Each structure stands twice: as C-alpha cells, then as structure tokens.
Amino acid sequence: SVTRASIALFSVAGTPLRAREAEEALMGMPADGADLDAVVDLAVQGVEPTSDVHATGAQRVHMARTLLRRALAASIEEAVSV
C-alpha cells in the first residue's frame, strides 16, 4: 500500500500548490489498485488558473490532470517493481 505521497501542482496558480487532500487520499491505497482518477480529481479540485498568452485556464487544468496521472502511474509502477 502507499505509505508516502507528495503532490505539487505548478503553473495552475501564482505559486506552486501542494495537493494535500489528494496526498491523504492516496495514503493507504493498495499500490497496484490505487484509484488514480479519484486522486487526480482531488488534486485539481478548486484550482482556477488564469489564462494568458501561453495557455487558457482550461488547458492548464487539463495538462495538470494528464501529467499528474502519468506521474502517479509511473511512480507506483516503479515502487511496485522494486
């Protein structure tokens, strides 16, 4: 099961954000059966990034969701294979 987790989101606010609720939800989940979609939902809940010339707020949330899901899956895969 997951015993330690830290999740930070960048480029969705003026400063990096820790997703503490998502971290807590991930703790204790079975590593090979973690509900990553639920964790990602918690991580981006309430995040309302602004749009600028580089990306819209919606694009930033989409990228944060996608990259976080990939990072969690890769981290769990690595931890399970050790």
Side-chain angles (χ1 to χ4, degrees):
S1 67
V2 178
T3 59
R4 185 176 53 174
S6 296
I7 299 172
L9 302 174
F10 297 83
S11 296
V12 293
T15 60
L17 301 174
R18 283 285 297 273
R20 296 192 191 277
E21 285 184 43
E23 294 171 353
E24 291 171 12
L26 191 56
M27 301 296 287
M29 283 188 180
D32 59 350
D35 186 354
L36 300 183
D37 292 327
V39 173
V40 170
D41 287 345
L42 278 173
V44 299
Q45 184 176 1
V47 172
E48 296 180 13
T50 58
S51 298
D52 63 18
V53 297
H54 302 289
T56 66
Q59 288 171 321
R60 291 177 189 277
V61 171
H62 175 76
M63 289 304 300
R65 293 179 67 82
T66 301
L67 295 174
L68 178 55
R69 178 91 172 58
R70 289 178 187 174
L72 289 172
S75 297
I76 288 173
E77 181 179 335
E78 182 179 331
V80 170
S81 69
V82 171

